[in-house]
Amino acid sequence: MNHTAYLLLGSNLGDRVATLHRALVALAEQAGKIVAVSSVYETAAWGFEAQPAFLNQAVQFSTALSPEALLGACQQVEQEAGREREELWGPRTLDVDILLYDEVVLDQPRLVLPHPRLPNRRFALVPLADLAPNVMHPTLNQSVQQLLANCPDTLPVEPWLGDL
């Protein structure tokens, strides 16, 4: 059985565009079929703001993987991109977050679904709204578009105008 998962890709070190592209290819090989991708957005760093801006992109996947197996695939792709987990919210070559997975609600030490900080992050909600504005958050009973309208985060999220 296939499941619908929404992922957020982010990069703020190295060739950010190439990193996002390679991540899409690797995720398609390891995790399932890409159904849709959002525009790319340049976003201010969140949490630890004294670092380069990110490029972020949301991706809709059709996957046969369980949430835990999908997390493993995402972390493998991050590692292949040179991700080092040195500081919370620090700079990174690649970050892949599972935002939503069907209507699954999960609270485990390694994985919480839906992503617990999704309602508070414009950098995730703006690209996700490109793909799924009417998808409902399974615990808040609000659409992605409603979450974006109510998001307290005011950091800038701008369409990327560079070369893709």
Side-chain angles (χ1 to χ4, degrees):
M1 179 176 160
N2 278 351
H3 304 276
T4 298
Y6 293 95
L7 308 180
L8 183 71
L9 310 182
S11 176
N12 76 336
L13 293 178
D15 186 338
R16 301 174 300 168
V17 172
T19 297
L20 293 181
H21 179 73
R22 283 193 305 271
L24 286 171
V25 171
L27 286 165
E29 291 172 355
Q30 296 183 34
K33 180 181 180 216
I34 295 173
V35 175
V37 294
S38 74
S39 297
V40 174
Y41 292 88
E42 189 163 41
T43 64
W46 187 94
F48 176 64
E49 296 175 23
Q51 60 181 311
F54 277 83
L55 289 185
N56 288 109
Q57 184 173 36
V59 185
Q60 180 183 351
F61 266 89
S62 176
T63 184
L65 298 179
S66 68
E68 297 82 0
L70 180 59
L71 176 64
C74 292
Q75 290 177 336
Q76 177 67 32
V77 170
E78 288 177 340
Q79 188 173 8
E80 290 168 3
R83 168 81 187 256
E84 296 178 9
R85 295 179 183 275
E86 294 178 356
E87 61 182 300
L88 184 64
W89 299 322
R92 47 207 170 269
T93 54
L94 180 65
D95 188 34
V96 182
D97 289 333
I98 304 171
L99 302 178
L100 299 166
Y101 181 101
D102 289 338
E103 295 178 5
V104 170
V105 177
L106 189 65
D107 190 353
Q108 297 179 343
R110 292 191 62 232
L111 181 60
V112 177
L113 291 173
H115 193 289
R117 289 174 292 284
L118 176 61
N120 299 317
R121 291 179 165 179
R122 284 183 55 78
F123 71 84
L125 288 167
V126 170
L128 183 58
D130 275 1
L131 301 179
N134 298 317
V135 166
M136 297 299 287
H137 189 286
T139 60
L140 299 177
N141 200 30
Q142 292 182 46
S143 69
V144 170
Q145 193 64 45
Q146 289 170 315
L147 292 173
L148 179 56
N150 296 322
C151 182
D153 179 7
T154 59
L155 291 173
V157 177
E158 302 293 336
W160 170 246
L161 302 175
D163 292 331
L164 293 177

